[in-house]
Amino acid sequence: QGCSWPREIIRNSPRLPFFAGNMEHHGQEGHDVFKDSVLRYAGYANEFGEAFRPLVHPRVVVASYAVAGAYVLADTADKVNLALNNKRIPQQARNHHALEKGLDTLIWQGLASVIIPGATINRIVWASGKLPLPPKAKSVVPTAVGLASIPLIIYPIDLLVHHALDRTSRPVLRSMTRAKFPTDPAYTKSNE
């Protein structure tokens, strides 16, 4: 039999166009502009800010976090709006469904797009700056290493966060909404 969770995580992971696979996101078929388009790169703005930290004013790094935070909030608002307008969910359950989807998106994006990758790139750039380099290369090399690291860390972090949330916050969120609407098959089926 083997373990099936990696296949499920990969199948349900957000994908940019260069990640092959179906366009299914947590049971919502179709194109997700926040995960399947160049807009996804706005979620990585803080990683670019961290990579350029040795070369730019600290305000630029803070601004990059503001861009990434705006992306997270926009995606969260989009998922809440989609849930509130989901006709497959009975009207009385939509608010709970929207809360569940909104919190899940906010937690996932906060971890996978901002906190973990930002901290990772920050430490990579910091460690690269400790290398014995000529003075002219002291700021350029860490930035180059940080930028080169971004594509390598994104997908593994996405997988890690999916795996972690599937075993922590997602079951809690589902149990709270199912406790409120335990006999509604339309609502519970769409939450699978």
Side-chain angles (χ1 to χ4, degrees), residues 54-192:
L55 299 174
V56 300
H57 192 277
R59 288 183 184 153
V60 174
V61 179
V62 171
S64 73
Y65 275 88
V67 170
Y71 166 83
V72 169
L73 294 176
D75 189 22
T76 301
D78 178 62
K79 298 310 177 282
V80 167
N81 185 51
L82 287 172
L84 288 172
N85 293 302
N86 187 342
K87 302 297 185 212
R88 295 181 307 175
I89 306 295
Q91 183 65 42
Q92 69 275 14
R94 287 187 196 159
N95 287 343
H96 286 81
H97 181 65
L99 179 63
E100 177 187 333
K101 293 301 180 187
L103 286 173
D104 181 64
T105 301
L106 184 65
I107 294 166
W108 190 90
Q109 288 286 13
L111 290 171
S113 295
V114 180
I115 296 169
I116 297 172
T120 303
I121 295 298
N122 178 285
R123 294 295 82 196
I124 289 171
V125 169
W126 174 84
S128 301
K130 299 297 182 188
L131 294 172
L133 300 168
K136 288 185 177 182
K138 264 301 196 193
S139 58
V140 175
V141 169
T143 295
V145 171
L147 289 172
S149 300
I150 293 171
L152 302 175
I153 68 165
I154 291 169
Y155 200 58
I157 289 173
D158 286 357
L159 294 177
L160 171 73
V161 173
H162 272 302
H163 179 67
L165 296 188
D166 283 345
R167 280 140 186 80
T168 58
S169 63
R170 287 178 179 154
V172 171
L173 290 171
R174 284 187 196 113
S175 69
M176 289 188 319
T177 53
R178 286 187 178 155
K180 181 81 174 162
F181 301 98
T183 60
D184 195 329
Y187 176 69
T188 55
K189 182 178 180 192
S190 70
N191 262 342
E192 295 296 326

Side-chain angles (χ1 to χ4, degrees), residues 21-33:
N22 65 39
M23 302 296 268
E24 196 177 314
H25 301 283
H26 303 292
Q28 297 176 354
E29 291 183 27
H31 181 75
D32 182 342
V33 69

